[in-house]
Amino acid sequence: MLLTQCAACATELGLSLGKKCGRCSTRYCGPECQVQHWREGGHDQLCKPIKRAGGAEKYNANKRYTEAVTVAAEACAEDTSGQTCYICTQALHWKTREGLVRGCSCRGTAGFAHVSCLAEQAKILLAEAKENNLGEDAINARWRQWHTCGLCKQSYHGVVQCAFGWACWKTYVGRPETDTCRLLAMTLLGNGISAAGHYEDALAVEEANLSMRRRLGDSEENILVLQCNLATSYHMVGRREEALRVRQNVYSGRLRLDGEEHQMTIRAANNYASSLNSLKRHGEAKSLLLKTMPVARRVLGENDIHTLKMRWAYAHTLCYGEGATVDDVREATTTLEETERVARRVFGGAYPLTVQIESYLRKVRAALRAREEPSSGGP
Ligand SMILES: [Zn+2]
Ligand SMILES: [Zn+2]
Ligand SMILES: [Zn+2]
Ligand SMILES: [Zn+2]
């Protein structure tokens, strides 16, 4: 995804080690690999085009961007058929010949566009805000265009989000490592790749990002945000022990930085508990939730999504904890019935969380019935 390996032998180099090609900045573990790559690896042909594109990392980003836009446009093809871009008013982009996308919450005939047109717009508006010193709020609002639809104000999702991740990264990759836009772009790229379901690739970007931020001495706040994303990727690729370790870390970091009543601390506790649950360490999850759930209910309120998720996780520990009694399962059922009611009222019946709690509740009710029935059976 990012170029973290020797171009010839794939030895891991991170983001800064190795020997660079003097013309195009392609990186190698040493001079042998560089010579071999020039003579037999085709670098004699590629060196010039890579240099022309602005260096190895930029060349790679351009290539990945084109692939991601193609995937996004294909995924949207049915939805975008017969429509035109609201920026350039064409169906096919004049230069790239790419198709249209729509990956937000726009409905009807609104919101169809080319990723390239939206990216160009975001780039120009952001540069303008910086040049004219429009202030932090304006700059933040314009940065949002990289991940949020300006019409419906909803974030892009799935493969469209991934295409914007690459669009943003290829726009700012050529800047110095400490440039704010470049730093934010790398995070956006990791999120985008993850949104497209490529968790192994997302993990590689997130690990590189985190080690770079540590090297540059970034704030604890920023490090915690990145660690939180990293843990999700670990979890998604099945590296659950590592996910747990990072989430435990994030939780104690949040406690130290923000205190137990901060929303970010409560979210971190929730993530930590769900990691414990996924490793069947229900006892530890239960004691963590007994401590943090009352805080969530008091501070965030009964209608908050994190409170609901926490109560659901707590019901899970009651149901599946070692030596769970019939009373435990009964308490779990009551808890889930309450959370399902609240979720339905606040978010509606079709909202993913409502649907998930509902299907989980059916399972727990069945488990309760099985345990309440006399085991001997017969007349
Ligand atoms: Zn090598
Ligand atoms: Zn070269
Ligand atoms: Zn367009
Ligand atoms: Zn939209």
Side-chain angles (χ1 to χ4, degrees):
M1 282 295 115
L2 301 181
L3 301 178
T4 60
Q5 299 175 340
C6 168
C9 73
T11 293
E12 196 54 49
L13 300 172
L15 284 177
S16 57
L17 300 176
K19 183 181 187 314
K20 281 183 182 174
C21 168
R23 289 167 294 270
C24 75
S25 299
T26 294
R27 283 189 297 147
Y28 301 96
C29 58
E32 293 82 13
C33 270
Q34 187 178 5
V35 170
Q36 191 249 336
H37 202 229
W38 182 269
R39 288 189 185 148
E40 294 149 41
H43 194 70
D44 56 333
Q45 300 295 317
L46 271 177
C47 187
K48 256 193 197 150
I50 294 174
K51 181 183 158 64
R52 221 178 299 131
E57 201 70 75
K58 178 80 199 292
Y59 181 80
N60 177 58
N62 289 345
K63 215 169 81 189
R64 301 284 183 177
Y65 167 71
T66 308
E67 290 163 9
V69 168
T70 306
V71 169
E74 272 169 17
C76 297
E78 206 180 307
D79 187 30
T80 60
S81 161
Q83 305 291 339
T84 52
C85 174
Y86 74 85
I87 297 171
C88 73
T89 72
Q90 301 298 308
L92 277 181
H93 191 271
W94 66 277
K95 190 170 164 200
T96 66
R97 314 304 293 164
E98 74 196 62
L100 298 162
V101 302
R102 185 166 74 169
C104 48
S105 295
C106 281
R107 293 284 171 266
T109 55
F112 296 105
H114 298 115
V115 177
S116 291
C117 287
L118 286 166
E120 190 61 21
Q121 195 177 52
K123 181 179 138 186
I124 292 169
L125 287 174
L126 193 70
E128 191 189 77
K130 290 213 163 181
E131 257 165 47
N132 300 324
N133 287 317
L134 297 187
E136 203 179 330
D137 285 351
I139 289 172
N140 288 341
R142 291 183 178 195
W143 177 262
R144 260 200 295 284
Q145 301 217 344
W146 282 113
H147 55 80
T148 301
C149 170
L151 303 175
C152 68
K153 313 290 177 205
Q154 295 299 310
S155 307
Y156 299 118
H157 52 78
V159 289
V160 173
Q161 186 184 347
C162 185
F164 278 103
W166 282 111
C168 185
W169 177 242
K170 94 177 168 80
T171 303
Y172 301 113
V173 61
R175 297 195 178 181
E177 204 177 50
T178 48
D179 179 85
T180 315
C181 286
R182 190 184 191 275
L183 288 167
L184 290 172
M186 199 191 275
T187 304
L188 208 74
L189 176 62
N191 293 345
I193 295 172
S194 174
H198 307 304
Y199 300 111
E200 292 281 358
D201 295 335
L203 195 56
V205 174
E206 285 158 356
E207 279 174 338
N209 193 355
L210 197 58
S211 75
M212 177 184 69
R213 304 279 193 134
R214 286 208 171 105
R215 180 159 44 81
L216 299 175
D218 205 346
S219 70
E220 189 176 6
E221 167 72 33
N222 287 346
I223 299 281
L224 287 173
V225 170
L226 288 177
Q227 280 184 313
C228 182
N229 296 346
L230 181 72
T232 303
S233 297
Y234 277 141
H235 184 85
M236 296 308 287
V237 299
R239 290 162 68 173
R240 306 229 159 138
E241 292 285 350
E242 281 150 296
L244 176 73
R245 262 201 304 280
V246 178
R247 282 176 170 170
Q248 183 176 17
N249 233 315
V250 172
Y251 175 57
S252 43
R254 284 289 170 199
L255 266 180
R256 201 172 49 240
L257 195 68
D258 302 315
E260 67 163 9
E261 295 195 342
H262 197 283
Q263 200 213 59
M264 295 307 284
T265 311
I266 294 169
R267 285 169 69 166
N270 218 351
N271 287 334
Y272 180 27
S274 91
S275 259
L276 285 167
N277 271 338
S278 84
L279 286 163
K280 301 203 181 341
R281 289 162 64 168
H282 299 115
E284 289 161 79
K286 190 177 173 184
S287 30
L288 173 69
L289 290 166
L290 278 172
K291 206 166 60 187
T292 52
M293 192 172 57
V295 182
R297 297 176 80 168
R298 177 163 48 82
V299 178
L300 304 178
E302 297 293 343
N303 294 345
D304 185 87
I305 191 162
H306 304 295
T307 306
L308 293 173
K309 284 184 178 173
M310 230 168 196
R311 297 191 68 193
W312 178 12
Y314 179 67
H316 181 87
T317 67
L318 284 176
C319 242
Y320 296 97
E322 209 173 301
T325 63
V326 180
D327 281 341
D328 288 333
V329 183
R330 210 170 279 138
E331 192 192 334
T333 314
T334 321
T335 302
L336 286 165
E337 281 166 352
E338 277 175 35
T339 50
E340 195 265 348
R341 249 195 321 273
V342 177
R344 179 173 292 277
R345 178 166 48 75
V346 178
F347 302 104
Y351 192 75
L353 183 72
T354 315
V355 176
Q356 285 161 2
I357 295 179
E358 208 174 283
S359 107
Y360 189 83
L361 176 59
R362 272 197 295 276
K363 244 173 54 187
V364 173
R365 274 184 181 142
L368 181 61
R369 268 197 304 278
R371 294 192 61 162
E372 281 176 341
E373 274 164 17
S375 55
S376 55

mmCIF file of all heavy atoms in Angstrom, residues 104-106 111 149 151-153, ligand 4:
data_model
loop_
_atom_site.group_PDB
_atom_site.id
_atom_site.type_symbol
_atom_site.label_atom_id
_atom_site.label_comp_id
_atom_site.label_asym_id
_atom_site.label_seq_id
_atom_site.Cartn_x
_atom_site.Cartn_y
_atom_site.Cartn_z
ATOM 1 N N CYS A 104 -22.661 8.443 -0.405
ATOM 2 C CA CYS A 104 -23.010 9.197 0.803
ATOM 3 C C CYS A 104 -24.470 8.903 1.113
ATOM 4 O O CYS A 104 -24.923 7.797 0.921
ATOM 5 C CB CYS A 104 -22.764 10.681 0.568
ATOM 6 S SG CYS A 104 -23.468 11.279 -0.982
ATOM 7 N N SER A 105 -25.245 9.916 1.554
ATOM 8 C CA SER A 105 -26.668 9.679 1.811
ATOM 9 C C SER A 105 -27.550 10.459 0.847
ATOM 10 O O SER A 105 -28.754 10.594 1.082
ATOM 11 C CB SER A 105 -27.017 10.038 3.257
ATOM 12 O OG SER A 105 -26.343 9.178 4.134
ATOM 13 N N CYS A 106 -26.978 11.033 -0.219
ATOM 14 C CA CYS A 106 -27.777 11.754 -1.202
ATOM 15 C C CYS A 106 -28.778 10.808 -1.862
ATOM 16 O O CYS A 106 -28.480 9.642 -2.101
ATOM 17 C CB CYS A 106 -26.877 12.369 -2.272
ATOM 18 S SG CYS A 106 -26.060 13.886 -1.747
ATOM 19 N N GLY A 111 -26.122 14.394 -5.974
ATOM 20 C CA GLY A 111 -24.900 13.840 -5.396
ATOM 21 C C GLY A 111 -24.038 12.990 -6.306
ATOM 22 O O GLY A 111 -23.043 12.432 -5.853
ATOM 23 N N CYS A 149 -19.660 14.392 2.145
ATOM 24 C CA CYS A 149 -20.372 14.993 1.021
ATOM 25 C C CYS A 149 -20.843 16.397 1.399
ATOM 26 O O CYS A 149 -21.443 16.596 2.451
ATOM 27 C CB CYS A 149 -21.566 14.117 0.650
ATOM 28 S SG CYS A 149 -22.690 14.899 -0.522
ATOM 29 N N LEU A 151 -23.148 18.101 0.006
ATOM 30 C CA LEU A 151 -24.590 18.287 -0.197
ATOM 31 C C LEU A 151 -25.400 17.707 0.962
ATOM 32 O O LEU A 151 -26.212 18.390 1.556
ATOM 33 C CB LEU A 151 -25.025 17.628 -1.513
ATOM 34 C CG LEU A 151 -24.291 18.106 -2.781
ATOM 35 C CD1 LEU A 151 -24.729 17.300 -3.987
ATOM 36 C CD2 LEU A 151 -24.543 19.592 -3.008
ATOM 37 N N CYS A 152 -25.173 16.433 1.287
ATOM 38 C CA CYS A 152 -25.980 15.789 2.342
ATOM 39 C C CYS A 152 -25.267 15.787 3.686
ATOM 40 O O CYS A 152 -25.838 15.391 4.691
ATOM 41 C CB CYS A 152 -26.363 14.369 1.942
ATOM 42 S SG CYS A 152 -24.956 13.229 1.884
ATOM 43 N N LYS A 153 -24.011 16.230 3.714
ATOM 44 C CA LYS A 153 -23.205 16.338 4.947
ATOM 45 C C LYS A 153 -22.926 14.999 5.614
ATOM 46 O O LYS A 153 -22.604 14.942 6.803
ATOM 47 C CB LYS A 153 -23.868 17.292 5.980
ATOM 48 C CG LYS A 153 -24.341 18.615 5.420
ATOM 49 C CD LYS A 153 -23.177 19.501 5.050
ATOM 50 C CE LYS A 153 -23.664 20.814 4.424
ATOM 51 N NZ LYS A 153 -22.678 21.423 3.558
HETATM 52 ZN ZN ZN B 4 -24.316 13.356 -0.411
#
